[in-house]
Amino acid sequence: MVGLSSAAGLVSLLAEPDADLQVYALQKLNEVINSLWTEVADSVGEIEALYEDESFPERELAALVASKVYYNLQAYNESMTFALCSGKLFDLNKGGEYEDTIISKCVDTYIELSAAQKSDAVGSDSDQAPSQLITSFPATSNGASNTSAVLASPTTPFSQTTLPSKSLLSRQDSISYDTPAAGFEGVVAATQTTQTLSPYVQKQLHGIIERLFEKCYQEGRYRQVVGIAIEARNLEKLRQAITRSREDLERSKVAQSSEHSEEIMDYVLDICMGVVQERSFRNEILDLILDLLSDTSSPEYFSIAKCIVYLNEHQQASEILIQLVRNADSKSLATAYQIAFDMYDNSTQEFLKKVRRCLPGKAADRGREQDKPDGNSSDQLLSDSSGSHETGSGTTTSWPQEAWRPEAMKAFDYISDILQGTKSIELGLEFLYRNNRTDKHVLNKIKDSLEARNSIFHTAVSLANAFMHAGTTNDKFFRENLEWLAKAVNWSKFTATAALGVIHRGNLSQGQKLLEPYLPKEQIAGANAGSPYSQGGSLYALGLIYANHETVALDLIRKHFKEAEEEVVQHGGALGLGVAGMATGDEGIYEDLRNVLWSNSAINGEAVGIAMGLIMLGTGNIKALEEMIQYAHETQHEKIVRGLAMGMALIMYARQEAADELINGLLEDPDPILRYGGIQTLALAYCGTGSNKAVRKLLHVAVSDVSDDVRRIAVMSLGFILFRKPNSVPRMVELLSESYNPHVRYGAAMALGISCAGTGLDLAIDLLEPMIKDPTDFVRQGALMALSMIMVQQNEAMNAKVGTIRKTLQKAIGDRHEDAMTKFGSAVSLGIIDAGGRNCTISLQTQTGNLNMSSIVGMAVFTQYWYWFPLTHFLSLSFTPTAVIAVDQDLEVPSFKIHSATRPSLFDYPPEQEAKVEDAPEKVKTAVLSTTAQAKRRAQKKEKAAREGGMDIDQVPTTPRPSGSDDKMDTDETKSDEEKKTETATKEGEDKKPEGIKRKMEKEKVGYDLENMSRVLPGQLKFISFLPDSRYEPVKKPTGGVILVTDKAPSEPKSLMEFKARKVAKAPAAPESLQDSVTEAFGQATRAATTGVLAQRTSGAADAAGVLTAIDEDGEDGEEASCPKEFDYHTDAEEE
């Protein structure tokens, strides 16, 4: 039959009554079906009839031939069905195109059927609906707050019915709270088109999948099984894959094809946290992982802790820490300390407080002392017991304190300090203080280029100073520029005072003392209480110093906030309360804020609304949401509504599907400010998830809403959703960056800055560079800020454009023709790009890959600077120190070296800007006549000839000079020839700098050693290792931040690093007398500056106190600084 050109004869045999002839025809057709299938296609019905005939001996062969015919017809569903009916004749090991296609179709069908069955089972088991917002949005067809909102949709000219079928929140007949298939929209849609399979076919399908899984197990490809199991939502198969990998590893530890069970577990964790978008299903996977990790002889404590933190199981967290301390060996203690550090980086204050309460001994007592019992909290049951232990059911048991050794009690005290954040903050402060590389020349140029009498420019300089020195405690700029500081008035003074909080952030031991002269004081008869703007700014600064760290400072801010009568002081107090009490869920603080909100003041209302959201951050508190929504509909002040909208978004932080009802109602509200809040809620609820449905909704609103503000925030919010996938953002906003609407262009720029912060991504920079020359001022402002966020901690070895971008930022400030908005953005951008003394990056996720709550919240509130400049300080919460800090078991910092397998210049600091001499007044040139110059030259020649022997020498003919060279009037130039050559060489060198850097790097030796507590960039971590002969060994792979190390030689004396920040003595910031601080503001600063020893010991905050606390004296005839127009579409017509 070789070379058969026609299948007509074989097809005719199918009609013969003899079964043997039919079998023969099928066998031959099976061999040539791929080339002659066109002739067989018309007779496929006869082949199917043979399969359906139960008396036919080769039914499976007939099914296989029919499957191949349908495969060539591209009817893959029918082809798969008949392939499944062919039984063992379908060979999985045969690597053909037909087999691969059918296997893929089987896997897809298995996933669809399994996911659909799981969804039906969960839907029938859970009939109880989640809590609903009762008073916020009455029941309507689409969740709108009233009927008029339904009839007049803000998304005109597109109606709600034009939304894509799979768009977020567009399903009107079902509630999208934690729906089982919410993360797998494609699966649900596919099940509607999948043909109905008979039980026999489904059985065969499961048999094929089992054979496929077994093949993967034999070849060691466990990840394929894990992926199919997760996508099919089959947790039993997932458990089987992980267990099988462990068993195979135990049988053959040398098998190269087998993957380690630890690697499989890490892979499952990565898939769970990064791919699975549904919150409830993710929790189920984490529960399974937690069960498997705990059921081993050597548990993976770091993976267990990661699951526990995400599941918010504080009880299990404390049990792990207690178990590790109970082991009493050095590695277990180091592991416990490392887990505590990781918990602090990835958890909320409320979670950490509960963990501390569950620890034995003094740690639990301190945890309960910090709890403020109130009537609505069940935690107050623990306030009267000592050494109690809270169980999962809410009851408490007592730890027998005599059962613990003194070493164990000391370990628990260490763990409590770590969980409280004291140790991490202290180490971060020391690192920033020790490695401060702030370029003061850049800051001075910003100050000299911007007119201080203009409030917006004064604010810009204050913000740039704050960001450049964030966390370094270096506030000398205020002391050196008291005259400039004295020009701050009203809200500029508020912002300048709050800048001290950014500069001294984390200075827990001295922060309260530094701000003491600024804080509100008791009224004294006949004395002036000081400027309310500096008092409000000081409360804001105090909150920034103790940000996300609940201490006695929170009580102090709360006390001043409740006693304050000035609205400005209440404004600063509310912001300070929100920052310091972030995510505490404290009902008492929330009620204090709510009482002030009900006073209906526009000045403090916006800050109070944001603070209420910060206190209840991520709690999803239904009662708080109902009160805030109700008041937002009642008040007439836009600032209050805007603050409440931001607060509601903060309450729904990371709630994902649980926030859908609130998003529904807000997006359909007729008030554009509440729709603006709906987009913010969507961004924070789904932040970092990469959710496709959230992205679709944002893009729809970005091109359909009638409000420019809503469209702007919709585009900007793409950065919050996709910051874990920065490479996908430039392609997504490429067209939006060229929109006719400047607000959309601005949103695209900020989306790139938020998602690509610290990456130096070339695609993002290419999109932003043309936007620097945009005709609209605020678009240029956003582009400059976005570029600075992307280029933070980048040098020219990492990105050749960083030098050009820095020059662009400085040029914009000095350009007198530039608009005020652009200059403001340039000044702030220069502070961002050198954040924290060039030792901080902007990262919205932690070193371990979890969401960085404080960074995300800081970035979200920072974007509101569009409406209120003082909120710009919130960006400092996103600054993350880039360091590797090794700590031993005594929580001390040993002095030793780590190795970096790179060239030194690759991750080095960018060079500082040199101070230009030509900025000084130039010397007036003196004119010299040409005849005088010729006489001087003749006299010099005669003197030279006389020195050589007094002989008369004939003049040697010289080359004639160009015409006019002798007649030109000479001048005494200020610059020498050497200086001119140096300038020329500098200009040429700037053009060839990237090539020079490359040549320099090629000459450098690869690999160098770093001291402990050194600057290590995120991209450098993969090159970091501990030296083989090092005395210290890390308990886990270095990921940046604090790393616990074990001492290989504990009996030998160790060398420790000296903490320099502790030794900085801060003098009292102002005289004790309140009257003196007001009447002698400049006199006190002058005396401090002229006193030798005191001037060295006094901080910038001390000298600035007398200036900032003075009351603004603006007489009727006094000159006031001109204020630019607020975000006009056109440029500000402002006189220079």
Side-chain angles (χ1 to χ4, degrees):
M1 195 69 66
V2 177
L4 185 65
S5 59
S6 175
L10 295 176
V11 172
S12 64
L13 293 178
L14 296 176
E16 294 292 332
D18 189 356
D20 293 337
L21 292 176
Q22 294 173 336
V23 171
Y24 174 79
L26 289 174
Q27 290 175 348
K28 296 306 179 181
L29 286 175
N30 186 39
E31 296 175 0
V32 298
I33 193 65
N34 291 331
S35 57
L36 302 177
W37 65 271
T38 54
E39 299 182 42
V40 185
D42 293 335
S43 302
V44 68
E46 298 179 13
I47 301 176
E48 291 185 27
L50 292 177
Y51 165 72
E52 295 174 357
D53 186 2
E54 296 183 357
S55 63
F56 186 68
E58 293 292 339
R59 295 181 60 204
E60 294 181 351
L61 179 60
L64 181 62
V65 175
S67 173
K68 291 183 178 180
V69 173
Y70 280 119
Y71 166 75
N72 286 282
L73 290 171
Q74 297 185 1
Y76 298 121
N77 286 333
E78 290 79 2
S79 178
M80 179 202 67
T81 302
F82 281 103
L84 293 174
C85 295
S86 64
K88 295 183 179 180
L89 292 181
F90 179 71
D91 189 5
L92 293 177
N93 298 322
K94 187 177 180 181
E97 182 180 352
Y98 163 73
E99 286 76 13
D100 293 343
T101 304
I102 296 303
I103 290 174
S104 300
K105 188 63 180 176
C106 288
V107 171
D108 292 341
T109 305
Y110 170 78
I111 290 173
E112 294 170 8
L113 293 176
S114 180
Q117 292 173 1
K118 178 70 174 178
S119 301
D120 294 339
V122 174
S124 60
D125 292 341
S126 57
D127 296 332
Q128 184 178 1
S131 301
Q132 303 287 318
L133 290 175
I134 300 174
T135 63
S136 45
F137 307 108
T140 56
S141 61
N142 56 4
S145 59
N146 51 42
T147 307
S148 61
V150 182
L151 298 178
S153 174
T155 58
T156 53
F158 302 102
S159 64
Q160 181 74 13
T161 57
T162 62
L163 284 174
S165 60
K166 293 181 287 185
S167 180
L168 174 67
L169 311 174
S170 62
R171 305 179 183 89
Q172 301 177 2
D173 299 331
S174 61
I175 299 172
S176 50
Y177 267 96
D178 290 332
T179 50
F184 300 90
E185 304 91 336
V187 172
V188 178
T191 56
Q192 300 173 359
T193 59
T194 302
Q195 61 179 357
T196 304
L197 300 179
S198 65
Y200 173 77
V201 175
Q202 293 189 25
K203 181 180 178 181
Q204 293 296 111
L205 175 63
H206 285 83
I208 289 288
I209 296 299
E210 290 294 339
R211 289 162 55 190
L212 181 63
F213 284 174
E214 187 61 32
K215 181 182 177 181
C216 291
Y217 292 149
Q218 293 175 0
E219 298 177 359
R221 296 183 298 167
Y222 301 104
R223 295 192 177 190
Q224 282 79 351
V225 181
V226 167
I228 295 174
I230 291 179
E231 198 168 355
R233 306 169 64 85
N234 193 329
L235 298 182
E236 291 300 325
K237 293 298 179 184
L238 179 60
R239 180 188 293 271
Q240 180 185 4
I242 298 174
T243 306
R244 183 69 178 268
S245 66
R246 289 179 177 176
E247 295 174 354
D248 291 348
L249 180 63
E250 293 176 357
R251 290 197 204 98
S252 176
K253 295 185 178 180
V254 296
Q256 297 181 357
S257 61
S258 295
E259 299 172 356
H260 297 293
S261 60
E262 292 82 1
E263 296 177 356
I264 291 294
M265 197 64 69
D266 292 339
Y267 176 74
V268 175
L269 275 174
D270 292 340
I271 292 294
C272 179
M273 306 301 294
V275 177
V276 179
Q277 297 181 0
E278 183 199 341
R279 185 185 182 95
S280 59
F281 183 54
R282 186 187 299 127
N283 290 345
E284 292 180 14
I285 298 177
L286 290 174
D287 286 331
L288 172 62
I289 296 174
L290 192 58
D291 185 25
L292 292 173
L293 288 173
S294 303
D295 189 20
T296 57
S297 56
S298 56
E300 284 291 324
Y301 288 109
F302 295 114
S303 299
I304 293 175
K306 188 175 182 179
C307 296
I308 287 174
V309 169
Y310 187 85
L311 293 171
N312 202 27
E313 296 288 346
H314 65 276
Q315 172 65 34
Q316 297 186 37
S318 61
E319 290 176 356
I320 287 180
L321 296 173
I322 292 172
Q323 180 181 350
L324 289 170
V325 173
R326 187 182 288 113
N327 292 341
D329 60 295
S330 58
K331 188 172 182 179
S332 296
L333 286 177
T335 303
Y337 296 156
Q338 184 67 65
I339 289 176
F341 277 112
D342 293 343
M343 284 184 181
Y344 174 75
D345 291 336
N346 297 285
S347 307
T348 64
Q349 292 190 55
E350 184 180 12
F351 177 84
L352 297 173
K353 187 165 46 176
K354 291 179 179 178
V355 175
R356 292 202 308 273
R357 284 204 307 266
C358 294
L359 295 177
K362 298 179 181 179
D365 295 338
R366 282 201 298 270
R368 281 186 297 276
E369 286 174 2
Q370 291 179 358
D371 267 346
K372 317 299 183 302
D374 57 77
N376 298 327
S377 176
S378 60
D379 294 337
Q380 113 180 41
L381 296 174
L382 301 174
S383 60
D384 298 328
S385 59
S386 60
S388 61
H389 177 69
E390 182 180 0
T391 62
S393 61
T395 59
T396 58
T397 58
S398 297
W399 288 105
Q401 298 190 13
E402 64 275 7
W404 298 102
R405 303 184 313 277
E407 296 81 2
M409 299 304 297
K410 181 180 178 182
F412 286 129
D413 290 342
Y414 281 165
I415 292 174
S416 178
D417 291 338
I418 296 172
L419 293 176
Q420 194 175 3
T422 305
K423 198 63 183 178
S424 296
I425 294 174
E426 181 184 12
L427 292 172
L429 182 72
E430 176 64 24
F431 163 73
L432 293 176
Y433 178 84
R434 180 186 294 266
N435 299 278
N436 183 17
R437 296 291 185 90
T438 302
D439 192 348
K440 63 180 182 180
H441 300 298
V442 175
L443 189 57
N444 288 331
K445 182 177 180 179
I446 297 174
K447 177 184 68 69
D448 296 337
S449 302
L450 300 179
E451 174 55 46
R453 284 292 296 168
N454 195 325
S455 62
I456 185 176
F457 292 153
H458 197 287
T459 299
V461 178
S462 299
L463 294 172
N465 173 43
F467 290 160
M468 285 185 180
H469 295 96
T472 62
T473 71
N474 186 350
D475 51 15
K476 294 181 180 179
F477 179 79
F478 285 150
R479 182 174 65 222
E480 296 171 355
N481 298 278
L482 290 176
E483 183 179 355
W484 165 84
L485 189 62
K487 297 179 181 179
V489 294
N490 298 337
W491 290 107
S492 297
K493 183 175 294 186
F494 179 93
T495 306
T497 308
L500 293 173
V502 178
I503 296 173
H504 291 275
R505 183 189 172 194
N507 194 356
L508 305 180
S509 59
Q510 301 170 355
Q512 185 174 347
K513 182 179 180 182
L514 284 166
L515 295 175
E516 184 177 355
Y518 300 89
L519 295 174
K521 297 177 175 61
E522 296 181 1
Q523 294 287 344
I524 302 176
N528 214 322
S531 172
Y533 293 94
S534 64
Q535 294 175 0
S538 66
L539 293 178
Y540 186 14
L542 195 61
L544 290 170
I545 291 177
Y546 297 91
N548 199 21
H549 182 70
E550 186 181 7
T551 57
V552 292
L554 186 61
D555 295 333
L556 179 62
I557 301 174
R558 184 178 179 183
K559 172 179 175 293
H560 287 300
F561 175 76
K562 295 172 68 175
E563 296 176 352
E565 297 180 357
E566 291 280 351
E567 293 179 339
V568 177
V569 180
Q570 290 177 341
H571 181 96
L575 293 177
L577 275 176
V579 177
M582 186 186 304
T584 57
D586 193 310
E587 293 285 349
I589 298 178
Y590 171 80
E591 291 178 0
D592 293 340
L593 293 168
R594 184 188 58 191
N595 294 335
V596 175
L597 175 70
W598 285 346
S599 64
N600 202 30
S601 170
I603 294 179
N604 57 36
E606 183 174 14
V608 168
I610 295 175
M612 292 167 68
L614 289 172
I615 295 296
M616 294 294 175
L617 179 65
T619 60
N621 192 303
I622 298 296
K623 178 183 176 183
L625 289 172
E626 291 175 354
E627 293 176 347
M628 295 170 74
I629 294 171
Q630 182 179 359
Y631 195 78
H633 285 106
E634 293 176 357
T635 185
Q636 299 298 320
H637 295 292
E638 290 187 359
K639 292 179 69 66
I640 297 179
V641 178
R642 186 174 295 114
L644 291 172
M646 186 73 226
M648 287 185 285
L650 293 170
I651 292 177
M652 283 300 182
Y653 165 79
R655 303 293 295 181
Q656 297 185 21
E657 293 89 354
D660 282 358
E661 184 190 3
L662 176 63
I663 299 171
N664 253 327
L666 292 177
L667 288 183
E668 290 301 328
D669 197 282
D671 188 351
I673 300 179
L674 289 179
R675 297 203 304 275
Y676 185 100
I679 294 296
Q680 290 177 313
T681 306
L682 176 60
L684 291 181
Y686 288 90
C687 60
T689 62
S691 173
N692 293 330
K693 58 181 183 179
V695 171
R696 283 196 298 268
K697 185 61 178 178
L698 291 175
L699 291 175
H700 175 76
V701 175
V703 298
S704 62
D705 199 280
V706 296
S707 170
D708 286 337
D709 289 343
V710 179
R711 299 178 69 176
R712 182 181 67 248
I713 192 64
V715 180
M716 190 189 308
S717 297
L718 291 171
F720 289 99
I721 304 294
L722 299 170
F723 67 78
R724 282 179 168 168
K725 303 174 183 178
N727 293 323
S728 63
V729 180
R731 179 171 52 87
M732 186 172 296
V733 302
E734 183 175 3
L735 294 178
L736 295 174
S737 65
E738 300 174 358
S739 171
Y740 73 93
N741 191 324
H743 291 269
V744 175
R745 298 200 300 270
Y746 172 88
M750 293 300 293
L752 290 170
I754 293 169
S755 61
C756 306
T759 62
L761 190 64
D762 291 331
L763 293 175
I765 296 171
D766 293 340
L767 287 179
L768 289 171
E769 282 181 330
M771 301 177 73
I772 298 177
K773 301 178 182 179
D774 194 276
T776 307
D777 53 359
F778 61 78
V779 177
R780 297 196 297 272
Q781 179 193 76
L784 293 173
M785 287 187 176
L787 281 171
S788 65
M789 285 190 270
I790 295 173
M791 283 298 189
V792 63
Q793 285 198 324
Q794 299 284 315
N795 58 23
E796 294 194 354
M798 301 168 65
N799 194 309
K801 294 183 178 181
V802 65
T804 305
I805 291 174
R806 286 180 177 271
K807 291 179 182 178
T808 303
L809 295 175
Q810 296 179 13
K811 180 181 178 181
I813 291 179
D815 188 358
R816 65 174 57 199
H817 302 291
E818 192 57 86
D819 297 305
M821 288 292 95
T822 308
K823 289 186 176 182
F824 175 87
S826 300
V828 176
S829 299
L830 285 171
I832 295 173
I833 202 170
D834 289 337
R838 299 185 173 183
N839 292 299
C840 289
T841 188
I842 297 176
S843 178
L844 302 187
Q845 54 184 337
T846 62
Q847 301 283 0
T848 55
N850 289 353
L851 297 179
N852 191 335
M853 182 190 69
S854 61
S855 294
I856 294 173
V857 170
M859 181 67 73
V861 181
F862 157 73
T863 59
Q864 303 308 299
Y865 84 90
W866 178 279
Y867 303 102
W868 191 235
F869 284 153
L871 297 179
T872 311
H873 284 309
F874 270 82
L875 184 62
S876 62
L877 301 180
S878 300
F879 295 162
T880 304
T882 53
V884 170
I885 305 175
V887 178
D888 62 11
Q889 298 174 10
D890 296 326
L891 300 186
E892 296 176 331
V893 183
S895 178
F896 69 100
K897 295 183 181 296
I898 57 178
H899 183 70
S900 176
T902 60
R903 291 182 172 88
S905 60
L906 180 58
F907 297 102
D908 197 8
Y909 289 95
E912 293 187 3
Q913 180 183 2
E914 297 181 359
K916 295 183 180 180
V917 181
E918 54 268 24
D919 289 342
E922 296 183 358
K923 180 181 177 182
V924 179
K925 300 177 181 180
T926 304
V928 181
L929 297 176
S930 59
T931 54
T932 306
Q934 292 176 359
K936 287 183 179 180
R937 283 196 293 270
R938 287 194 294 269
Q940 291 175 356
K941 290 179 180 179
K942 290 181 180 180
E943 291 178 2
K944 182 178 180 181
R947 288 195 299 269
E948 292 177 354
M951 297 177 59
D952 293 332
I953 302 176
D954 295 337
Q955 294 291 334
V956 179
T958 58
T959 304
R961 297 184 178 181
S963 176
S965 60
D966 290 338
D967 298 334
K968 181 180 179 180
M969 183 179 293
D970 297 336
T971 57
D972 294 337
E973 298 289 344
T974 304
K975 300 177 184 178
S976 63
D977 294 338
E978 294 182 358
E979 291 177 343
K980 293 180 180 179
K981 292 179 180 179
T982 302
E983 288 185 1
T984 304
T986 302
K987 293 180 180 179
E988 294 177 355
E990 289 177 354
D991 298 334
K992 301 180 179 180
K993 189 175 292 184
E995 297 180 0
I997 292 176
K998 292 181 180 178
R999 288 195 296 267
K1000 178 183 176 182
M1001 291 180 59
E1002 292 175 356
K1003 296 179 181 179
E1004 291 178 345
K1005 181 181 178 181
V1006 177
Y1008 64 103
D1009 293 339
L1010 290 169
E1011 287 287 344
N1012 187 17
M1013 199 177 279
S1014 294
R1015 175 180 181 260
V1016 178
L1017 302 186
Q1020 189 180 2
L1021 284 172
K1022 56 186 177 182
F1023 302 104
I1024 294 296
S1025 61
F1026 282 67
L1027 299 174
D1029 56 348
S1030 176
R1031 176 178 173 178
Y1032 299 95
E1033 181 181 3
V1035 296
K1036 72 169 187 176
K1037 183 179 179 180
T1039 56
V1042 180
I1043 298 294
L1044 262 292
V1045 294
T1046 56
D1047 192 352
K1048 298 179 182 178
S1051 58
E1052 299 180 5
K1054 57 184 178 182
S1055 175
L1056 300 177
M1057 299 189 71
E1058 183 181 10
F1059 275 47
K1060 298 180 180 180
R1062 292 176 179 172
K1063 293 192 172 184
V1064 179
K1066 302 292 183 182
E1072 295 181 0
S1073 173
L1074 179 62
Q1075 185 66 24
D1076 292 342
S1077 65
V1078 177
T1079 58
E1080 300 182 6
F1082 288 100
Q1084 184 241 5
T1086 305
R1087 288 193 299 272
T1090 55
T1091 304
V1093 179
L1094 182 59
Q1096 297 178 2
R1097 297 182 57 191
T1098 309
S1099 67
D1103 295 332
V1107 177
L1108 292 177
T1109 57
I1111 299 178
D1112 302 328
E1113 297 180 359
D1114 293 334
E1116 295 181 358
D1117 299 332
E1119 180 184 359
E1120 292 189 2
S1122 58
C1123 297
K1125 297 180 181 179
E1126 185 177 355
F1127 298 103
D1128 198 353
Y1129 280 97
H1130 305 285
T1131 57
D1132 298 328
E1134 189 173 333
E1135 297 181 1
E1136 298 293 336

